[in-house]
Amino acid sequence: MINMRRTSLAELPTNERAIILSFANGRPETNRLVSLGFTPGANVDMTQNYGHGPLIVTVRGARVALGRVEAAKIFVKRDRE
Amino acid sequence: MSDLPIPMASATPLIIREKMPLIALAGQPNVGKSTLFNLLTGLNQHVGNWPGKTVERREGTFTFEDHSYSLVDLPGTYSLTANSPEEVIAREFILREQPDVVVAVVNAANLERSLYLVAELVALPTPIVVAMNMMDVAAQEGIRVEPEVLEAALSVPVVPVTATRSSGARDLMHIIEETLGDCRRRNPSLPEIRPDHREVLAEILRQIAGQVPSPYPANWVALKLLEGDAEITRTMQIALSQQKWMAVQGVLRQHDDALLAIASGRYEWIGRMVRAAVIQPKIGQITLTKRLDDWATHPFWGLVVLAGILGLVFWLTFTVGSPVQNWLDTQVVGGLSQLASDVLVNAPSWLKGLVVNGVLDGAGAVLTFLPIMVIFFAVFGLLEDMGYMARAAYVMDNLMHLMGLHGKSFLPLFLGFGCNVPAIMGTRVIDSKPARMLTILIAPLVPCTARMAVVAFLAPAFFGPKALIVSWGLVLFSLIILVLSGSVLNRLIFKGQRSAFIMEMPLYHIPNARTIGLLVWQRSLSFVKKAGTNILAMAVVIWALSVLPNGNLNSSYLVQFGKFVEPVGRWMGLDWRLTVALIASFPAKENAIATMGVLFGSSPNAGLAQTLTSTFSTASALSFLVATMLFIPCMATVAVIRQETKSWGWTLLNIGIFLAMTIAASGGVYHLALAFGL
């Protein structure tokens, strides 16, 4: 597809949308992410990302707070319209 | 977290199942499960612990149309994979205790996420009924859901309810009754693994066939193996022959991404349900949650909001709690002491002493702390129920990183302002063991209500109008020590490890008075019970030590001990009476005051406060207050530290650290204050 870019979730700016590609979080962490709605192919909207500290994303209709380190291990492709 | 699977069935069966149908409530966190539980059971509920675990277990009974039911509130979990003890408790209960019905509570305003647990529950053999809660919130968000369509799609009964407004409970009970009377086995629509992994699942099933220990269904075990569930993996490693286990392990190693295939399959199933049942999805409006979060989760303003809330709690404590407390102290307890003295005027002097100076002065004074406890319990209950607590954790994440911890560790610490015991127990929300141990070590540095009550009593006595500033200073001092010791301990003991921060931020909602009321009631009740037994007994012991062996205080055991450790106390600016009061605060912090009451023989008319003011210097007063904040955690907290860490080593380390800090900090403050001429 065109206009799509691979990046980590931690780099996604506020109010932008992306699609989850893969995880490098390790198994117990991935299990928890999955039960909160993070799966490959799911849409994530960045609700709050100040570029430092934790961030908030909206996934499958729920708001989830993630540490920056955890978000950096979630790979997404960014929808740049 | 325990490393061994807990044999639930062999543990005490807490529920009496004499023909009373057993209903289990299951659901993800923040779907209003507790509100529904409270609605059904009211005050007929009992709060305890799950056998061998420190996870809260709530059960109750209720009567509906002349039939009695027993209801168990399972811990809130996002899935049934063993990520924490909660998931293991929930699934082991369903599989082993075999409730007659599992009521799966889902959030109508967010079906997609909350159906994930249902996707796991339908795969278990127990009949389920879906309670679609928060219909009002869904309507508010502009979401329209059709429960009957979801029911048809799931092939499981679905009942719309709004627990906060007590609506839908009767319908739910009718459906539960119907399900109980219905012997036909329903065949719910089941989620399937993503097609590219079907063969792998079949292979695992072939390998484990006939070897799965009861009560686990083979299909379910195969899925849990593929999901990498630690508990089930261990169970099957024991159950299978070495050869079979090697084969299974080989397959699992090649497909370590299978958990994504399983989860995708579940969400695909959920997608079909949601597409059918939700006829109008959420409209893109700016919601209340978004507007409030612009402030509450802002890196700077969020901290201001949090500080403001904490300030408000202390303000409430001082303006509402303290006057009530003083009134109870002088009028009620003082009056009772006077009355007892009059009644016992001809009784032997030891009996009069026991009643007036032991029981009434001790335990009576403790009960006067109840107003402050109630304020704390109510405020924390309110913030929890509104959904604010997750925001507090979020904004504290950065600060917690200084100690190698993350935001979630702040939640138990926050709770610690109320009482350190639930704070230590609350550390189970932390997923990693080192982070949890560190949080347990530093949690007692959060000034609890009991310590604040001692400060609230002593600070005005010693400092008059400056009491509020001194109290704030003491709180700040404790918190600075907390951060400092946290970061030092993290580097020394835990080598700077850190753990994952993943946490749902629930929507804000209007708090439910019943939920908060019950919470305040239960916590206050447990405090009064503690005061009624443990603390009362201690007050009597302290009194006894103060009159034995020959009825004279100045030659009593208590004074002998106080004088024995006096050299240390003196360095901290404390005389033997303050030293004894400090030591006596170990059984319960409030005892510091009760013991002073005994030692200074406060008469009802001349309050203890005046006596103290005229006896001690400002430097000594400051030193004692600092010591009160930092001293060894109370007996109940130590007991719970032992219980949660499962190690005497950790417990003793904790006591040692606190003792050393008290002597160093109090001594330091005393000498500093002297240097400033106080």
Side-chain angles (χ1 to χ4, degrees):
Chain A
M1 274 199 243
I2 48 162
N3 289 338
M4 295 281 200
R5 229 178 44 163
R6 190 188 146 96
T7 162
S8 94
L9 188 56
E11 291 157 58
L12 190 69
T14 306
N15 291 330
E16 287 210 23
R17 167 171 289 202
I19 297 167
I20 298 174
L21 293 173
S22 60
F23 304 95
N25 299 70
R27 198 168 252 206
E29 217 170 292
T30 308
N31 251 321
R32 294 183 44 222
L33 287 167
V34 153
S35 65
L36 280 159
F38 294 84
T39 49
N43 282 328
V44 272
D45 293 296
M46 185 56 69
T47 306
Q48 187 187 89
N49 186 353
Y50 283 97
H52 56 87
L55 44 87
I56 305 176
V57 297
T58 304
V59 61
R60 296 187 195 271
R63 289 172 167 236
V64 180
L66 293 175
R68 190 150 291 275
V69 182
E70 288 72 46
K73 292 183 203 158
I74 301 173
F75 296 102
V76 297
K77 60 183 176 186
R78 203 160 131 186
D79 191 348
R80 297 189 67 198
E81 309 242 336
Chain B
M1 212 186 294
S2 154
D3 286 323
L4 293 165
I6 297 299
M8 275 300 163
S10 64
T12 44
L14 291 177
I15 302 145
I16 309 136
R17 289 182 74 177
E18 287 162 7
K19 291 176 198 115
M20 218 194 265
L22 174 62
I23 305 168
L25 273 186
Q28 293 192 335
N30 310 310
V31 295
K33 197 164 60 71
S34 302
T35 314
L36 185 60
F37 178 83
N38 290 337
L39 175 64
L40 292 171
T41 58
L43 282 172
N44 285 324
Q45 50 173 276
H46 169 76
V47 183
N49 274 340
W50 289 90
K53 306 258 174 166
T54 43
V55 178
E56 195 173 79
R57 170 180 179 137
R58 300 206 305 158
E59 55 192 291
T61 53
F62 65 97
T63 308
F64 177 74
E65 293 181 350
D66 298 331
H67 295 287
S68 294
Y69 298 89
S70 119
L71 187 67
V72 171
D73 193 11
L74 297 177
T77 59
Y78 291 105
S79 71
L80 290 181
T81 298
N83 290 318
S84 66
E86 278 86 350
E87 286 92 358
V88 180
I89 288 169
R91 70 190 195 195
E92 291 287 308
F93 184 84
I94 294 171
L95 286 168
R96 291 184 190 274
E97 309 273 324
Q98 296 171 355
D100 298 287
V101 179
V102 172
V103 174
V105 188
V106 299
N107 177 356
N110 188 0
L111 272 184
E112 190 175 4
R113 237 285 308 293
S114 54
L115 278 174
Y116 191 79
L117 184 66
V118 176
E120 291 221 54
L121 289 171
V122 290
L124 299 179
T126 311
I128 77 165
V129 170
V130 172
M132 202 197 272
N133 195 18
M134 303 193 167
M135 291 300 285
D136 58 334
V137 181
Q140 217 178 305
E141 300 257 317
I143 302 165
R144 278 180 59 198
V145 200
E146 289 191 326
E148 46 306 340
V149 179
L150 185 63
E151 177 168 317
L154 280 169
S155 295
V156 159
V158 175
V159 192
V161 292
T162 299
T164 49
R165 291 191 196 153
S166 315
S167 91
R170 294 189 66 83
D171 296 337
L172 177 63
M173 280 316 300
H174 279 296
I175 298 295
I176 289 172
E177 278 193 321
E178 245 172 61
T179 310
L180 287 170
D182 187 2
C183 308
R184 283 171 299 146
R185 178 88 182 87
R186 277 175 183 265
N187 282 313
S189 142
L190 291 179
E192 283 176 44
I193 194 166
R194 210 170 57 199
D196 57 350
H197 277 73
R198 260 178 219 157
E199 193 39 51
V200 186
L201 179 62
E203 174 59 25
I204 297 280
L205 269 170
R206 265 194 298 280
Q207 294 292 347
I208 63 171
Q211 310 286 316
V212 179
S214 118
Y216 303 113
N219 253 311
W220 183 81
V221 166
L223 285 174
K224 287 296 159 211
L225 284 173
L226 284 168
E227 283 181 271
D229 185 288
E231 300 262 356
I232 292 298
T233 306
R234 220 176 349 250
T235 306
M236 289 313 290
Q237 189 176 357
I238 297 165
L240 290 177
S241 67
Q242 182 139 14
Q243 191 194 349
K244 289 254 181 200
W245 175 245
M246 297 291 273
V248 168
Q249 234 185 349
V251 179
L252 294 179
R253 260 202 217 111
Q254 271 175 36
H255 298 276
D256 62 348
D257 59 337
L259 79 97
L260 296 176
I262 295 168
S264 297
R266 290 192 187 122
Y267 281 112
E268 195 271 326
W269 175 87
I270 291 166
R272 272 184 280 141
M273 305 298 152
V274 172
R275 271 193 299 280
V278 180
I279 53 172
Q280 184 186 312
K282 188 166 171 171
I283 29 185
Q285 60 192 9
I286 294 177
T287 58
L288 176 71
T289 295
K290 165 101 183 67
R291 253 175 290 159
L292 288 177
D293 269 356
D294 283 345
W295 295 92
T297 62
H298 187 276
F300 175 71
W301 293 114
L303 289 171
V304 174
V305 169
L306 179 60
I309 287 173
L310 268 178
L312 206 67
V313 178
F314 290 124
W315 177 81
L316 261 179
T317 309
F318 280 101
T319 54
V320 182
S322 293
V324 175
Q325 182 193 11
N326 281 338
W327 178 81
L328 282 172
D329 188 28
T330 53
Q331 302 303 311
V332 179
V333 178
L336 279 175
S337 299
Q338 188 63 56
L339 186 73
S341 306
D342 293 347
V343 170
L344 296 172
V345 71
N346 293 321
S349 68
W350 66 266
L351 182 63
K352 193 172 147 193
L354 175 68
V355 173
V356 178
N357 301 105
V359 177
L360 284 174
D361 274 8
V366 167
L367 282 179
T368 62
F369 293 127
L370 197 58
I372 292 176
M373 294 283 184
V374 169
I375 291 173
F376 267 80
F377 293 151
V379 172
F380 289 108
L382 181 81
L383 292 174
E384 226 173 303
D385 198 44
M386 277 171 57
Y388 175 73
M389 283 309 202
R391 274 75 191 179
Y394 180 79
V395 293
M396 288 303 283
D397 190 57
N398 277 333
L399 186 64
M400 301 306 286
H401 272 213
L402 290 177
M403 298 174 272
L405 299 171
H406 63 61
K408 260 193 192 172
S409 284
F410 179 67
L411 290 183
L413 295 184
F414 201 172
L415 212 59
F417 283 103
C419 176
N420 287 173
V421 172
I424 305 282
M425 286 166 58
T427 56
R428 60 169 193 260
V429 301
I430 303 158
D431 324 289
S432 101
K433 190 162 180 197
R436 184 163 181 235
M437 297 307 256
L438 179 56
T439 311
I440 288 175
L441 272 186
I442 60 171
L445 281 167
V446 177
C448 67
T449 332
R451 262 172 287 174
M452 287 315 291
V454 174
V455 170
F457 181 85
L458 292 180
F462 286 133
F463 299 97
K466 291 195 202 107
L468 197 60
I469 302 170
V470 171
S471 309
W472 257 111
L474 284 167
V475 172
L476 201 65
F477 180 76
S478 288
L479 296 182
I480 289 170
I481 298 272
L482 185 148
V483 174
L484 284 178
S485 55
S487 39
V488 169
L489 288 172
N490 179 45
R491 279 174 188 87
L492 282 182
I493 305 177
F494 300 102
K495 318 285 182 232
Q497 293 179 50
R498 65 175 299 285
S499 62
F501 180 48
I502 304 169
M503 182 184 63
E504 186 187 5
M505 308 280 270
L507 294 178
Y508 288 101
H509 54 88
I510 295 166
N512 181 257
R514 191 191 295 113
T515 305
I516 299 166
L518 272 168
L519 194 85
V520 172
W521 167 249
Q522 281 160 354
R523 290 189 180 160
S524 304
L525 196 69
S526 94
F527 170 74
V528 171
K529 276 185 189 157
K530 184 178 117 188
T533 53
N534 167 7
I535 301 173
L536 178 100
M538 204 55 213
V540 172
V541 167
I542 295 284
W543 171 79
L545 286 176
S546 73
V547 292
L548 292 175
N550 50 23
N552 186 352
L553 180 72
N554 288 322
S555 58
S556 68
Y557 292 134
L558 192 63
V559 170
Q560 286 171 30
F561 183 70
K563 288 188 173 148
F564 174 70
V565 290
E566 201 186 4
V568 182
R570 189 154 298 286
W571 188 74
M572 294 152 66
L574 311 180
D575 74 347
W576 65 269
R577 285 172 300 192
L578 290 183
T579 310
V580 169
L582 189 62
I583 293 164
S585 76
F586 170 65
K589 296 291 166 184
E590 312 88 297
N591 271 357
I593 308 251
T595 307
M596 284 183 185
V598 173
L599 292 178
F600 290 94
S602 68
S603 66
N605 294 329
L608 175 61
Q610 283 98 310
T611 318
L612 291 174
T613 323
S614 53
T615 316
F616 296 101
S617 71
T618 309
S620 287
L622 265 181
S623 165
F624 184 75
L625 287 173
V626 166
T628 302
M629 299 298 265
L630 301 182
F631 196 57
I632 301 173
C634 73
M635 202 159 63
T637 307
V638 169
V640 98
I641 288 174
R642 162 72 187 88
Q643 175 193 314
E644 296 289 316
T645 58
K646 295 187 169 56
S647 144
W648 277 111
W650 278 109
T651 314
L652 292 176
L653 176 71
N654 206 309
I655 290 176
I657 290 173
F658 277 84
L659 200 56
M661 275 196 306
T662 308
I663 294 170
S666 280
V669 164
Y670 176 66
H671 290 284
L672 207 65
L674 283 184
F676 279 97
L678 290 170

